[in-house]
Amino acid sequence: MKKKITILGSTGSIGVNALNVINNLEIDIVGLSANTNSQLLIEQAKKFQPKSVSIVDEDAYLIVKDALKNTSIDVLCGRNGLLEISSRDDVDLVLNALVGSSGMLPTVYGIRAGADIALSNKESLVMAGKIIERERKKTNVNIFPIDSEHSAIWQCLVGESKEEVKRLILTGSGGPFREKKISTFKDIKPEDALKHPNWEMGKKITIDSASMMNKGLEVIEAVWLFEMDPQKVDIVVHPQSIIHSMVEFDDTSVKAQLGLPDMKIPIQYALSYPNHIETNWEPLDLVKIKSLTFENVNYERFPCIKLAYESLNREGTSPSVLNVANEQAVYRFLNKEIGFMEIPKLIEIAMDNHDWTEDPSIDDILSLEVWTTNFVKSFSSKYIK
Ligand code: MN3
């Protein structure tokens, strides 16, 4: 029987890749969602004939509604439309490729509706890891990571016992500023940060890669996905992005997963698990790559990583605030309102000043999201020391 799936964020880079990948697989598209890109959503809807589509932007909704008026496809609108399409009980799997904190609730709703989640939206677990773990166990659904590092760890753990894992080793490319003089970091412009050496990604995640906050968020993601103690999750810088991550076992044996840096591989594995399905993609040629190198993380250069570990240390609401503050600080940086090195400073100030609680509910996290957003948006950069 064909697997029935919904793709949230189908017009973004992960969503588009996912729709390319499913040509290899036995899959039925039940729902598609987009934020503002009406033209691409219309094209995708005509090609894949889902039962429903949703689009957040209201003007874009009118365009999609009109274009699909002679079809049986149901067109939903706004944040409510997105949540409705996330909660359908006739899907086997929801692929969440939304960007940022707004992807958290759709993950929770998908789980509550009994769907497995193929999760590219790492912010879901950073914002609400504990709640998502709890909800997942209640409905007994799976979360399959669509993040190259977590897919690598997942593949390394197949057939292994988690009790024998000594540590997870996340690899990170180090981004475009791995070798840049720290004294010149204050002059970094959005254009500089948007150039990533190995991966093609959206704007938000590209800035997160430049600040290495992306790696920090991935540490938190790994803690929840693999139910691992934060002390057992390490990072090593690996500029070639060929080893996607590793697992070290108690006997010092290390397993790694390798591949060219192409998101199609983790996307397909999340949809085809436990199988590796044949493709015509370019194979990894290690002789051509010649050398793989490794370095320690420089925390002075990348304070965002330290903040991510610190948020895990503080537990409770701290990782949620870290995540939302980072998102808002990144937008302010992209708008040229603050400098690159003010991103971690704003996050730290928000973490220190929020109303901390140990075991927040979804509603607590949502109100904290509003608080943090306003706090970071309105914080005058002249007070950042
Ligand atoms: Mn990643």
Side-chain angles (χ1 to χ4, degrees):
M1 216 174 67
K2 281 191 167 182
K3 203 186 252 182
K4 295 188 174 70
I5 83 167
T6 287
I7 300 181
L8 309 178
S10 66
T11 59
S13 81
I14 295 287
V16 167
N17 258 318
L19 286 171
N20 287 334
V21 156
I22 66 154
N23 287 325
N24 293 332
L25 309 168
E26 290 281 293
I27 279 175
D28 237 358
I29 300 290
V30 177
L32 294 172
S33 97
N35 192 25
T36 57
N37 192 340
S38 52
Q39 285 318 316
L40 186 52
L41 184 65
I42 292 164
E43 248 174 68
Q44 292 176 341
K46 286 183 174 163
K47 181 166 176 200
F48 293 97
Q49 296 290 322
K51 288 186 186 159
S52 53
V53 298
S54 82
I55 188 150
V56 174
D57 185 87
E58 280 181 33
D59 296 326
Y61 162 75
L62 296 173
I63 298 168
V64 177
K65 180 89 184 150
D66 186 57
L68 300 179
K69 66 172 182 256
N70 295 323
T71 70
S72 59
I73 303 167
D74 196 16
V75 184
L76 307 168
C77 173
R79 178 82 181 152
N80 285 335
L82 170 64
L83 294 175
E84 193 179 324
I85 213 167
S86 313
S87 332
R88 294 185 67 115
D89 57 11
D90 57 351
V91 294
D92 303 310
L93 182 139
V94 173
L95 191 159
N96 183 347
L98 298 167
V99 177
S101 310
S102 60
M104 184 267 287
L105 216 46
T107 298
V108 175
Y109 281 28
I111 292 171
R112 285 183 185 160
D116 287 335
I117 309 289
L119 190 61
S120 163
N121 177 265
K122 63 190 75 173
E123 290 87 349
S124 291
L125 286 169
V126 178
M127 293 278 286
K130 202 183 221 171
I131 295 170
I132 288 172
E133 270 312 294
R134 225 184 267 149
E135 296 269 349
R136 189 183 71 74
K137 284 174 183 160
K138 248 191 255 167
T139 46
N140 202 21
V141 301
N142 301 297
I143 298 181
F144 303 133
I146 298 187
D147 198 343
S148 57
E149 297 78 4
H150 304 76
S151 180
I153 290 168
W154 177 31
Q155 293 178 55
C156 292
L157 286 173
V158 169
E160 302 289 356
S161 150
K162 235 181 263 173
E163 282 66 51
E164 293 167 4
V165 172
K166 189 180 274 170
R167 60 184 182 132
L168 308 179
I169 308 164
L170 292 172
T171 54
S173 70
F177 306 138
R178 183 171 58 90
E179 293 177 312
K180 192 177 166 62
K181 268 208 182 105
I182 298 181
S183 59
T184 64
F185 267 48
K186 58 182 192 324
D187 307 319
I188 292 172
K189 306 224 159 17
E191 308 80 273
D192 310 322
L194 287 171
K195 290 181 205 129
H196 192 276
N198 303 343
W199 296 93
E200 290 273 345
M201 304 172 292
K203 267 189 187 175
K204 195 254 171 187
I205 187 168
T206 304
I207 302 298
D208 284 348
S209 297
S211 69
M212 285 197 80
M213 179 53 102
N214 184 51
K215 216 45 60 183
L217 300 179
E218 288 179 350
V219 168
I220 303 174
E221 187 186 3
V223 161
W224 292 113
L225 264 179
F226 304 110
E227 298 178 271
M228 210 40 71
D229 205 78
Q231 282 90 347
K232 288 183 161 186
V233 185
D234 282 344
I235 302 169
V236 65
V237 173
H238 166 47
Q240 297 81 16
S241 300
I242 295 297
I243 294 186
H244 297 309
S245 277
M246 300 174 260
V247 176
E248 182 183 335
F249 295 91
D250 285 341
D251 57 0
T252 72
S253 170
V254 176
K255 274 169 107 173
Q257 186 265 341
L258 290 74
L260 289 171
D262 187 332
M263 286 307 292
K264 287 205 292 287
I265 304 170
I267 292 170
Q268 173 161 305
Y269 189 68
L271 298 174
S272 66
Y273 167 83
N275 303 108
H276 292 273
I277 308 276
E278 183 161 4
T279 66
N280 56 6
W281 304 334
E282 186 191 348
L284 171 65
D285 181 348
L286 283 172
V287 175
K288 204 158 99 193
I289 287 160
K290 283 201 166 64
S291 68
L292 301 178
T293 61
F294 306 92
E295 295 162 23
N296 279 322
V297 180
N298 181 333
Y299 291 103
E300 196 193 338
R301 189 179 286 269
F302 299 113
C304 283
I305 300 183
K306 244 198 309 199
L307 288 172
Y309 276 107
E310 177 60 23
S311 78
L312 279 169
N313 208 7
R314 295 187 192 179
E315 300 182 319
T317 43
S318 297
S320 324
V321 172
L322 168 100
N323 183 60
V324 179
N326 174 59
E327 211 162 293
Q328 292 306 322
V330 166
Y331 294 141
R332 290 194 70 182
F333 170 69
L334 286 171
N335 285 335
K336 306 195 169 169
E337 294 168 27
I338 62 169
F340 188 70
M341 290 312 273
E342 287 166 350
I343 296 174
K345 287 178 184 156
L346 266 177
I347 297 168
E348 191 175 5
I349 296 169
M351 265 176 35
D352 287 346
N353 284 282
H354 87 279
D355 194 4
W356 185 88
T357 53
E358 194 184 344
D359 196 7
S361 66
I362 287 284
D363 285 342
D364 296 338
I365 293 173
L366 292 173
S367 22
L368 197 57
E369 183 182 356
V370 175
W371 179 88
T372 310
T373 301
N374 291 333
F375 182 83
V376 175
K377 262 189 186 161
S378 59
F379 199 89
S380 168
S381 63
K382 69 179 180 222
Y383 296 116
I384 306 174
K385 283 187 216 92

